Amino acid sequence: LYLPDYSEGGALHAPAIPRAIAENIAMITDPITPEDTAFFWHIPKAGGSTVKAYYGKCFQLVEVTEVGSMFGHDKDKKIDVFPRGDYHYVNVDTSTPEGLHHAKEFKLAESGLADLVFSIYAHGGSKLFNPVNRGRFFAMFRHPVERAASLFYYRQTATWEKIFGLNTLTLEQFLRKGRGEKNWMVRLLTNKFTERLTGEDLEVAKEILRTRCVVGLMDRMEESLDRFSTYFGWSAPDGDDCKNELLHKGVNRNSHAKVKVGSEAWNIMYEQNELDIKLYEYAQVLFEEQRLLFSYEGSQR
């Protein structure tokens, strides 16, 4: 995999990525060490729930998710692993800023208990790690317009994530009110939640993906999961039956009408997410370029 040399004096100049990511998230071409922990950036409605089930159930990996604070474990006084059905979890929650802070206090990265950490907070999650106990960043990507539409329809029906009044609106009505996602991926990567984004922010996000993220694509799910497993050296103890069942059925799917290209809803979401769309298109390019990482047998370990 070609990573240009941005050393001082060179002709190329890399965008300055956030310090927490630069220092705590390993370069994808660095050899994986025993101190490193896989960190999945969970982009909503982009296959993340399938990734959780795939590695938690089929591979029996110890995961860090929102489940870690459930069933009374938010009262635990020390970090530990607990079983729940077919899964094993560390008793911290990385799905919220408060949970990330708690996991940091519990020294999650230093504990070595987790095989795989999930969080939507790319920047905040990177602060769990340090230059010795590094995070290894990977993610699954989906076209931003399709993903934003899927998220809207999902929240209309998901009683555990119900947003007041959403189930009375059409997608077009929702968007005309100025609601909906606006370059969510670039914002989370650059840690700019309210500020005006620029082309420079897009370049920073691209640089993070190029140097530190193993890229998967939702519409290439099986190939993406195979790449992740190869990269981290993971294997399923029970063979392919569990994997094949999950890939066939999927997890947390929500059927809804597709948004037509060129429709009012599509055009509004496209305009609202122009930077994210460019980032997604770049992720598609990286997916092909990263094939070189997986052109041999064996993992990075």
Side-chain angles (χ1 to χ4, degrees):
L1 186 68
Y2 171 63
L3 294 180
D5 180 11
Y6 290 107
S7 58
E8 188 174 354
L12 301 173
H13 298 281
I17 66 177
R19 181 176 177 180
I21 294 176
E23 294 183 353
N24 302 335
I25 302 299
M27 302 276 282
I28 58 174
T29 52
D30 287 347
I32 297 178
T33 71
E35 291 78 24
D36 293 344
T37 303
F39 173 30
F40 183 79
W41 181 33
H42 188 170
I43 302 169
K45 306 310 296 178
S49 295
T50 297
V51 175
K52 285 180 181 178
Y54 187 78
Y55 288 116
K57 183 177 181 180
C58 302
F59 286 68
Q60 289 294 290
L61 298 185
V62 177
E63 297 184 333
V64 186
T65 73
E66 69 281 356
V67 179
S69 63
M70 298 178 182
F71 315 110
H73 290 287
D74 57 324
K75 304 295 193 299
D76 290 350
K77 301 302 181 183
K78 64 177 183 178
I79 194 166
D80 204 352
V81 175
F82 68 92
R84 186 71 184 179
D86 295 324
Y87 299 80
H88 291 80
Y89 300 100
V90 180
N91 60 340
V92 293
D93 175 3
T94 47
S95 68
T96 67
E98 296 77 18
L100 286 169
H101 179 73
H102 180 63
K104 178 74 172 178
E105 289 185 329
F106 266 24
K107 296 186 180 299
L108 171 64
E110 294 87 343
S111 74
L113 293 176
D115 293 311
L116 176 50
V117 176
F118 289 83
S119 184
I120 66 171
Y121 295 102
H123 182 270
S126 68
K127 294 182 179 180
L128 291 171
F129 306 101
N130 59 64
V132 174
N133 308 103
R134 301 176 301 178
R136 311 290 309 205
F137 200 48
F138 67 119
M140 195 79 75
F141 293 85
R142 182 182 186 184
H143 192 286
V145 171
E146 294 176 357
R147 192 182 68 76
S150 179
L151 188 62
F152 168 80
Y153 288 116
Y154 167 74
R155 286 176 170 168
Q156 276 193 320
T157 59
T159 55
W160 52 94
E161 293 190 28
K162 186 75 74 176
I163 297 177
F164 181 74
L166 197 62
N167 59 346
T168 65
L169 298 175
T170 66
L171 177 57
E172 289 78 9
Q173 290 170 335
F174 175 74
L175 294 169
R176 288 181 202 132
K177 291 177 178 289
R179 299 168 69 178
E181 292 196 349
K182 298 177 177 66
N183 296 307
W184 186 93
M185 292 193 297
V186 173
R187 290 191 179 282
L188 269 290
L189 287 171
T190 59
N191 201 37
K192 291 187 174 182
F193 294 95
T194 58
E195 300 97 317
R196 179 180 175 273
L197 296 176
T198 67
E200 183 177 343
D201 296 311
L202 173 62
E203 294 307 310
V204 170
K206 285 182 176 181
E207 182 69 4
I208 293 170
L209 298 192
R210 187 186 69 82
T211 60
R212 287 168 170 79
C213 184
V214 180
V215 170
L217 300 176
M218 185 174 168
D219 59 5
R220 306 271 287 275
M221 176 69 77
E222 186 169 1
E223 182 180 357
S224 298
L225 291 170
D226 284 345
R227 287 189 183 191
F228 298 157
S229 301
T230 298
Y231 183 80
F232 290 106
W234 293 331
S235 58
D238 297 326
D240 294 334
D241 289 347
C242 176
K243 297 192 296 180
N244 291 337
E245 181 181 2
L246 268 176
L247 289 172
H248 176 70
K249 293 182 178 179
V251 178
N252 203 25
R253 287 181 174 172
N254 178 42
S255 298
H256 59 82
K258 287 189 175 182
V259 181
K260 293 182 179 180
V261 176
S263 65
E264 178 188 7
W266 177 278
N267 290 339
I268 294 174
M269 288 187 288
Y270 193 99
E271 184 176 347
Q272 288 183 167
N273 293 281
E274 185 176 358
L275 296 182
D276 266 13
I277 289 167
K278 290 179 179 178
L279 185 65
Y280 172 73
E281 291 170 348
Y282 186 65
Q284 290 179 302
V285 172
L286 288 177
F287 186 80
E288 298 304 326
E289 290 185 354
Q290 288 182 1
R291 191 178 303 278
L292 293 172
L293 283 173
F294 310 96
S295 61
Y296 58 88
E297 294 186 0
S299 71
Q300 294 287 301
R301 288 192 184 274

